[in-house]
mmCIF file of all heavy atoms in Angstrom:
data_model
loop_
_atom_site.group_PDB
_atom_site.id
_atom_site.type_symbol
_atom_site.label_atom_id
_atom_site.label_comp_id
_atom_site.label_asym_id
_atom_site.label_seq_id
_atom_site.Cartn_x
_atom_site.Cartn_y
_atom_site.Cartn_z
ATOM 1 N N PHE A 30 -92.538 25.388 14.721
ATOM 2 C CA PHE A 30 -93.510 24.317 14.156
ATOM 3 C C PHE A 30 -94.796 25.045 13.671
ATOM 4 O O PHE A 30 -95.557 24.332 12.999
ATOM 5 C CB PHE A 30 -93.816 23.302 15.267
ATOM 6 C CG PHE A 30 -94.187 23.907 16.587
ATOM 7 C CD1 PHE A 30 -95.647 24.086 16.840
ATOM 8 C CD2 PHE A 30 -93.277 24.163 17.513
ATOM 9 C CE1 PHE A 30 -95.946 24.561 18.060
ATOM 10 C CE2 PHE A 30 -93.731 24.678 18.777
ATOM 11 C CZ PHE A 30 -95.064 24.995 19.015
ATOM 12 N N TYR A 31 -95.043 26.277 13.957
ATOM 13 C CA TYR A 31 -96.200 27.000 13.440
ATOM 14 C C TYR A 31 -96.002 28.393 13.601
ATOM 15 O O TYR A 31 -95.206 28.980 14.321
ATOM 16 C CB TYR A 31 -97.551 26.403 14.099
ATOM 17 C CG TYR A 31 -97.936 27.289 15.171
ATOM 18 C CD1 TYR A 31 -99.008 28.249 15.075
ATOM 19 C CD2 TYR A 31 -97.450 27.115 16.529
ATOM 20 C CE1 TYR A 31 -99.389 28.993 16.206
ATOM 21 C CE2 TYR A 31 -97.820 27.820 17.590
ATOM 22 C CZ TYR A 31 -98.786 28.761 17.448
ATOM 23 O OH TYR A 31 -99.233 29.526 18.511
ATOM 24 N N VAL A 32 -96.738 29.220 12.741
ATOM 25 C CA VAL A 32 -96.688 30.619 12.666
ATOM 26 C C VAL A 32 -98.134 31.142 12.663
ATOM 27 O O VAL A 32 -99.051 30.515 12.015
ATOM 28 C CB VAL A 32 -95.879 31.134 11.435
ATOM 29 C CG1 VAL A 32 -96.481 30.650 10.093
ATOM 30 C CG2 VAL A 32 -95.663 32.612 11.459
ATOM 31 N N ASN A 33 -98.373 32.288 13.373
ATOM 32 C CA ASN A 33 -99.608 32.971 13.416
ATOM 33 C C ASN A 33 -99.584 34.011 12.270
ATOM 34 O O ASN A 33 -98.735 34.956 12.323
ATOM 35 C CB ASN A 33 -99.907 33.690 14.646
ATOM 36 C CG ASN A 33 -100.093 32.679 15.949
ATOM 37 O OD1 ASN A 33 -101.051 31.855 15.869
ATOM 38 N ND2 ASN A 33 -99.087 32.746 16.841
ATOM 39 N N ILE A 34 -100.357 33.819 11.262
ATOM 40 C CA ILE A 34 -100.310 34.840 10.160
ATOM 41 C C ILE A 34 -101.473 35.723 10.351
ATOM 42 O O ILE A 34 -102.635 35.369 10.445
ATOM 43 C CB ILE A 34 -100.356 34.124 8.843
ATOM 44 C CG1 ILE A 34 -99.057 33.378 8.576
ATOM 45 C CG2 ILE A 34 -100.627 35.075 7.683
ATOM 46 C CD1 ILE A 34 -98.971 32.604 7.231
ATOM 47 N N GLY A 35 -101.216 37.046 10.185
ATOM 48 C CA GLY A 35 -102.260 38.110 10.299
ATOM 49 C C GLY A 35 -101.989 39.237 9.497
ATOM 50 O O GLY A 35 -101.265 39.137 8.393
ATOM 51 N N GLY A 36 -102.498 40.334 9.813
ATOM 52 C CA GLY A 36 -102.324 41.604 9.005
ATOM 53 C C GLY A 36 -102.740 42.826 9.791
ATOM 54 O O GLY A 36 -102.653 42.857 10.997
ATOM 55 N N GLY A 37 -103.471 43.649 9.055
ATOM 56 C CA GLY A 37 -104.073 43.631 7.875
ATOM 57 C C GLY A 37 -105.005 42.366 7.703
ATOM 58 O O GLY A 37 -105.234 41.644 8.652
ATOM 59 N N GLU A 38 -105.513 42.155 6.485
ATOM 60 C CA GLU A 38 -106.266 41.041 6.154
ATOM 61 C C GLU A 38 -105.391 40.140 5.273
ATOM 62 O O GLU A 38 -105.250 40.404 4.097
ATOM 63 C CB GLU A 38 -107.602 41.573 5.462
ATOM 64 C CG GLU A 38 -108.263 40.310 4.870
ATOM 65 C CD GLU A 38 -108.541 39.138 5.863
ATOM 66 O OE1 GLU A 38 -108.943 39.426 6.964
ATOM 67 O OE2 GLU A 38 -108.418 37.978 5.431
ATOM 68 N N PRO A 39 -104.785 39.164 5.830
ATOM 69 C CA PRO A 39 -103.835 38.417 4.936
ATOM 70 C C PRO A 39 -104.320 37.757 3.716
ATOM 71 O O PRO A 39 -103.569 37.531 2.755
ATOM 72 C CB PRO A 39 -103.327 37.286 5.950
ATOM 73 C CG PRO A 39 -104.431 37.151 6.981
ATOM 74 C CD PRO A 39 -105.012 38.444 7.097
ATOM 75 N N THR A 40 -105.578 37.430 3.677
ATOM 76 C CA THR A 40 -106.115 36.715 2.537
ATOM 77 C C THR A 40 -106.243 37.562 1.346
ATOM 78 O O THR A 40 -106.431 37.123 0.159
ATOM 79 C CB THR A 40 -107.499 36.051 2.784
ATOM 80 O OG1 THR A 40 -108.481 37.008 3.050
ATOM 81 C CG2 THR A 40 -107.423 35.089 3.968
ATOM 82 N N VAL A 41 -106.016 38.921 1.407
ATOM 83 C CA VAL A 41 -106.132 39.798 0.274
ATOM 84 C C VAL A 41 -104.786 39.807 -0.470
ATOM 85 O O VAL A 41 -104.714 40.393 -1.559
ATOM 86 C CB VAL A 41 -106.559 41.199 0.574
ATOM 87 C CG1 VAL A 41 -107.966 41.240 1.238
ATOM 88 C CG2 VAL A 41 -105.630 41.987 1.376
ATOM 89 N N ARG A 42 -103.743 39.270 0.121
ATOM 90 C CA ARG A 42 -102.458 39.126 -0.559
ATOM 91 C C ARG A 42 -102.600 38.148 -1.715
ATOM 92 O O ARG A 42 -103.132 36.956 -1.433
ATOM 93 C CB ARG A 42 -101.240 38.576 0.272
ATOM 94 C CG ARG A 42 -100.412 39.796 0.717
ATOM 95 C CD ARG A 42 -99.134 39.290 1.366
ATOM 96 N NE ARG A 42 -98.215 38.755 0.396
ATOM 97 C CZ ARG A 42 -96.869 38.986 0.409
ATOM 98 N NH1 ARG A 42 -96.369 39.861 1.255
ATOM 99 N NH2 ARG A 42 -96.137 38.453 -0.418
ATOM 100 N N PRO A 43 -102.324 38.433 -3.001
ATOM 101 C CA PRO A 43 -102.520 37.591 -4.090
ATOM 102 C C PRO A 43 -101.919 36.285 -3.956
ATOM 103 O O PRO A 43 -102.398 35.261 -4.535
ATOM 104 C CB PRO A 43 -102.053 38.312 -5.264
ATOM 105 C CG PRO A 43 -102.021 39.749 -4.862
ATOM 106 C CD PRO A 43 -101.762 39.798 -3.390
ATOM 107 N N ASP A 44 -100.795 36.232 -3.201
ATOM 108 C CA ASP A 44 -99.972 34.960 -3.029
ATOM 109 C C ASP A 44 -100.311 34.233 -1.772
ATOM 110 O O ASP A 44 -99.502 33.376 -1.367
ATOM 111 C CB ASP A 44 -98.536 35.243 -3.200
ATOM 112 C CG ASP A 44 -97.987 36.227 -2.199
ATOM 113 O OD1 ASP A 44 -98.734 36.766 -1.473
ATOM 114 O OD2 ASP A 44 -96.762 36.580 -2.208
ATOM 115 N N PHE A 45 -101.366 34.650 -1.023
ATOM 116 C CA PHE A 45 -101.511 34.204 0.311
ATOM 117 C C PHE A 45 -101.621 32.627 0.316
ATOM 118 O O PHE A 45 -100.975 31.944 1.155
ATOM 119 C CB PHE A 45 -102.814 34.725 0.891
ATOM 120 C CG PHE A 45 -103.197 34.168 2.228
ATOM 121 C CD1 PHE A 45 -102.497 34.411 3.397
ATOM 122 C CD2 PHE A 45 -104.266 33.225 2.305
ATOM 123 C CE1 PHE A 45 -102.833 33.868 4.592
ATOM 124 C CE2 PHE A 45 -104.581 32.598 3.513
ATOM 125 C CZ PHE A 45 -103.901 32.980 4.723
ATOM 126 N N TRP A 46 -102.487 32.083 -0.506
ATOM 127 C CA TRP A 46 -102.662 30.608 -0.552
ATOM 128 C C TRP A 46 -101.480 29.891 -0.991
ATOM 129 O O TRP A 46 -101.122 28.784 -0.393
ATOM 130 C CB TRP A 46 -103.874 30.195 -1.401
ATOM 131 C CG TRP A 46 -105.150 31.000 -0.937
ATOM 132 C CD1 TRP A 46 -105.772 31.973 -1.562
ATOM 133 C CD2 TRP A 46 -105.840 30.740 0.262
ATOM 134 N NE1 TRP A 46 -106.755 32.416 -0.874
ATOM 135 C CE2 TRP A 46 -106.957 31.643 0.264
ATOM 136 C CE3 TRP A 46 -105.680 29.832 1.331
ATOM 137 C CZ2 TRP A 46 -107.833 31.754 1.368
ATOM 138 C CZ3 TRP A 46 -106.662 29.853 2.440
ATOM 139 C CH2 TRP A 46 -107.689 30.835 2.382
ATOM 140 N N GLU A 47 -100.684 30.454 -1.885
ATOM 141 C CA GLU A 47 -99.429 29.937 -2.341
ATOM 142 C C GLU A 47 -98.343 29.778 -1.086
ATOM 143 O O GLU A 47 -97.648 28.726 -0.941
ATOM 144 C CB GLU A 47 -98.809 30.728 -3.441
ATOM 145 C CG GLU A 47 -97.468 30.172 -3.901
ATOM 146 C CD GLU A 47 -96.846 31.170 -5.011
ATOM 147 O OE1 GLU A 47 -97.588 32.062 -5.522
ATOM 148 O OE2 GLU A 47 -95.673 30.866 -5.447
ATOM 149 N N LEU A 48 -98.431 30.799 -0.334
ATOM 150 C CA LEU A 48 -97.499 30.843 0.777
ATOM 151 C C LEU A 48 -97.976 29.906 1.904
ATOM 152 O O LEU A 48 -97.121 29.335 2.486
ATOM 153 C CB LEU A 48 -97.491 32.291 1.343
ATOM 154 C CG LEU A 48 -96.715 33.369 0.508
ATOM 155 C CD1 LEU A 48 -96.832 34.754 1.177
ATOM 156 C CD2 LEU A 48 -95.273 32.975 0.277
ATOM 157 N N VAL A 49 -99.308 29.832 2.200
ATOM 158 C CA VAL A 49 -99.846 28.768 3.127
ATOM 159 C C VAL A 49 -99.445 27.323 2.653
ATOM 160 O O VAL A 49 -98.948 26.595 3.512
ATOM 161 C CB VAL A 49 -101.309 28.874 3.246
ATOM 162 C CG1 VAL A 49 -101.951 27.748 4.034
ATOM 163 C CG2 VAL A 49 -101.676 30.202 3.852
ATOM 164 N N ASP A 50 -99.591 27.068 1.336
ATOM 165 C CA ASP A 50 -99.217 25.740 0.915
ATOM 166 C C ASP A 50 -97.760 25.511 0.973
ATOM 167 O O ASP A 50 -97.299 24.474 1.419
ATOM 168 C CB ASP A 50 -99.604 25.584 -0.576
ATOM 169 C CG ASP A 50 -101.111 25.459 -0.790
ATOM 170 O OD1 ASP A 50 -101.855 25.191 0.225
ATOM 171 O OD2 ASP A 50 -101.565 25.772 -1.900
ATOM 172 N N TYR A 51 -96.934 26.526 0.760
ATOM 173 C CA TYR A 51 -95.479 26.384 0.848
ATOM 174 C C TYR A 51 -95.079 26.143 2.315
ATOM 175 O O TYR A 51 -94.154 25.335 2.549
ATOM 176 C CB TYR A 51 -94.853 27.683 0.279
ATOM 177 C CG TYR A 51 -93.324 27.586 0.216
ATOM 178 C CD1 TYR A 51 -92.765 26.885 -1.000
ATOM 179 C CD2 TYR A 51 -92.465 27.897 1.226
ATOM 180 C CE1 TYR A 51 -91.356 26.745 -1.087
ATOM 181 C CE2 TYR A 51 -91.073 27.891 1.037
ATOM 182 C CZ TYR A 51 -90.558 27.203 -0.085
ATOM 183 O OH TYR A 51 -89.206 27.058 -0.170
ATOM 184 N N ALA A 52 -95.729 26.839 3.245
ATOM 185 C CA ALA A 52 -95.284 26.708 4.600
ATOM 186 C C ALA A 52 -95.653 25.263 5.144
ATOM 187 O O ALA A 52 -94.831 24.570 5.751
ATOM 188 C CB ALA A 52 -96.073 27.679 5.460
ATOM 189 N N THR A 53 -96.905 24.770 4.844
ATOM 190 C CA THR A 53 -97.179 23.490 5.252
ATOM 191 C C THR A 53 -96.390 22.319 4.619
ATOM 192 O O THR A 53 -96.088 21.340 5.297
ATOM 193 C CB THR A 53 -98.679 23.203 5.102
ATOM 194 O OG1 THR A 53 -99.088 23.423 3.661
ATOM 195 C CG2 THR A 53 -99.586 24.212 5.917
ATOM 196 N N GLU A 54 -96.055 22.658 3.375
ATOM 197 C CA GLU A 54 -95.169 21.623 2.645
ATOM 198 C C GLU A 54 -93.804 21.543 3.295
ATOM 199 O O GLU A 54 -93.009 20.477 3.191
ATOM 200 C CB GLU A 54 -95.063 22.020 1.257
ATOM 201 C CG GLU A 54 -96.389 21.706 0.380
ATOM 202 C CD GLU A 54 -96.264 22.404 -0.899
ATOM 203 O OE1 GLU A 54 -95.312 23.028 -1.286
ATOM 204 O OE2 GLU A 54 -97.383 22.289 -1.638
#
């Protein structure tokens, strides 16, 4: 039901927000 995303600094991945949107969808 949820995942903890980290890194590194995850927001520096160019597709980070795309993946966040895909997960919540």
